[in-house]
Amino acid sequence: MKKEKPDIVYHYCTLQGFLGIIQNASLWMSDISKSNDDFECIYARNQIKQRIEQEIEADTEAMHAWEMGYEMNSDMHDSMLTYVACFSEKEDCLSQWRGYADDGKGIAIGFNKKVLEQLVKLKNYNLGFAKVIYDKNEQERCVERVVKENLKRMEETGVGHTALELNTNYRTEFSRYKHPSFAEEEEWRLVLNSYPFGRELKVGSMIFAEPKYRIANGKLISYRELCFSNIKENFVREIWIGPKADVELRDIMQVLRRYQYYDNAESGYSFSEPILITRSSSSYR
């Protein structure tokens, strides 16, 4: 009986990035604040802040406590970071090829979504895996819910304390909201909230390596490697070659064989089994 194809999410990368991921059986999760979107993690938070301030602005004392607490917000001063690995539901998306895969010269790696869903269930406190929310109506419902929760929390713990903990309490959730103009990406995110001086973290069959730093676009960027060597044959499910990549299907097959992605194949391997290897159908040149 033919196996049912698992749900897949796709990570677009350069050819060099692809080789590094396959060789090391690891994905880089980078500090989201250093991404190319200036509103990462603050897009929804700013709306919530403004809405809360509208609710309490008539109370001078409450507003002062709120402003003081917000300025001391852990996101502003401590070193807790939000590390993110990004994926897309789309396996052959021209905007993804252009933006994240060296203008079409790179690769899209299809990962088993179920593995990521099971991963976050093992350690929910620091981990999240969910689709990014772009819909304005859904975002508005989020804003309303969080505002109500925090107005109630003010009555229980005080205005300043509520402001101080706003980002800490909703850090993972805030990372899920982006401006509707990004909707075409259909992005999913694996999120880990961690200090940049944290230690190695083992979750199930995967390991989040201790934080390191890299340099890109003139920035020092903290990142953690998600190591999947113990389950790589089940985790990597598809390889898509970019529309401008000068790479043959057999090149990909040879790399996968060299780094033991076929070791447990039950009946040999090909371009379609157990890992699909194919080329973009885009005519983009």
Side-chain angles (χ1 to χ4, degrees):
M1 180 181 296
K2 187 174 181 179
K3 294 181 180 179
E4 182 179 349
K5 179 182 174 181
D7 288 338
I8 305 291
V9 287
Y10 300 87
H11 180 75
Y12 287 76
C13 55
T14 64
L15 191 58
Q16 184 65 51
F18 159 76
L19 190 58
I21 290 169
I22 295 301
Q23 283 180 332
N24 301 314
S26 69
L27 276 168
W28 285 9
M29 299 182 68
S30 296
D31 173 10
I32 196 172
S33 69
K34 302 298 174 63
S35 75
N36 59 4
D37 180 359
D38 290 338
F39 289 97
E40 285 289 10
C41 291
I42 63 173
Y43 174 70
R45 190 182 72 195
N46 283 348
Q47 296 179 51
I48 291 163
K49 175 180 180 291
Q50 292 169 9
R51 196 76 58 85
I52 290 175
E53 290 176 351
Q54 290 171 6
E55 293 287 336
I56 66 173
E57 62 183 351
D59 187 333
T60 304
E61 186 177 341
M63 272 298 295
H64 178 70
W66 170 266
E67 290 170 352
M68 290 290 290
Y70 195 83
E71 285 301 316
M72 295 173 63
N73 189 300
S74 60
D75 183 59
M76 306 296 183
H77 299 295
D78 78 4
S79 53
M80 172 72 78
L81 299 179
T82 299
Y83 294 92
V84 172
C86 300
F87 309 87
S88 173
E89 288 186 354
K90 294 186 175 181
E91 72 272 15
D92 190 11
C93 177
L94 187 54
S95 63
Q96 295 280 70
W97 289 124
R98 286 171 170 165
Y100 303 103
D102 194 18
D103 195 32
K105 301 182 186 71
I107 300 290
I109 307 173
F111 292 98
N112 188 336
K113 189 168 77 170
K114 185 175 292 186
V115 171
L116 294 169
E117 291 171 338
Q118 292 299 319
L119 181 71
V120 300
K121 291 179 181 178
L122 298 173
K123 205 173 185 67
N124 271 332
Y125 184 76
N126 288 319
L127 284 169
F129 177 66
K131 187 173 181 178
V132 171
I133 297 172
Y134 311 96
D135 181 75
K136 285 187 175 181
N137 292 328
E138 191 171 354
Q139 291 178 355
E140 177 61 24
R141 289 193 292 271
C142 162
V143 170
E144 288 291 337
R145 172 178 56 79
V146 175
V147 168
K148 288 180 180 178
E149 289 174 356
N150 282 272
L151 290 175
K152 182 178 179 180
R153 188 172 285 118
M154 287 177 184
E155 298 174 359
E156 300 169 351
T157 64
V159 177
H161 193 75
T162 299
L164 180 66
E165 293 189 336
L166 177 65
N167 197 65
T168 301
N169 291 335
Y170 296 93
R171 187 186 295 271
T172 298
E173 187 167 349
F174 287 161
S175 69
R176 294 181 57 201
Y177 295 86
K178 292 193 73 171
H179 192 277
S181 61
F182 289 92
E184 184 186 3
E185 295 183 348
E186 294 190 25
E187 184 179 349
W188 282 72
R189 287 180 168 176
L190 178 67
V191 178
L192 172 67
N193 295 312
S194 169
Y195 292 100
F197 44 80
R199 296 182 178 180
E200 178 180 287
L201 175 65
K202 189 175 188 300
V203 183
S205 299
M206 293 195 185
I207 294 173
F208 295 87
E210 62 182 25
K212 300 177 183 177
Y213 280 87
R214 62 188 177 90
I215 298 172
N217 300 319
K219 300 177 181 179
L220 276 171
I221 303 175
S222 180
Y223 72 98
R224 299 186 71 149
E225 291 184 67
L226 173 60
C227 305
F228 55 86
S229 59
N230 291 331
I231 57 167
K232 59 186 179 183
E233 293 159 86
N234 183 44
F235 192 37
V236 175
R237 306 309 301 156
E238 296 183 5
I239 305 292
W240 287 71
I241 300 172
K244 295 170 68 173
D246 190 17
V247 176
E248 300 297 330
L249 270 65
R250 65 179 181 180
D251 298 334
I252 301 296
M253 179 181 284
Q254 289 167 357
V255 168
L256 292 175
R257 181 181 179 184
R258 165 63 182 81
Y259 294 104
Q260 293 85 49
Y261 285 78
Y262 293 131
D263 281 6
N264 293 323
E266 295 178 358
S267 56
Y269 57 91
S270 66
F271 293 135
S272 58
E273 293 290 341
I275 299 172
L276 172 68
I277 305 172
T278 190
R279 186 178 295 277
S280 167
S281 61
S282 172
S283 58
Y284 178 55
R285 291 291 182 268

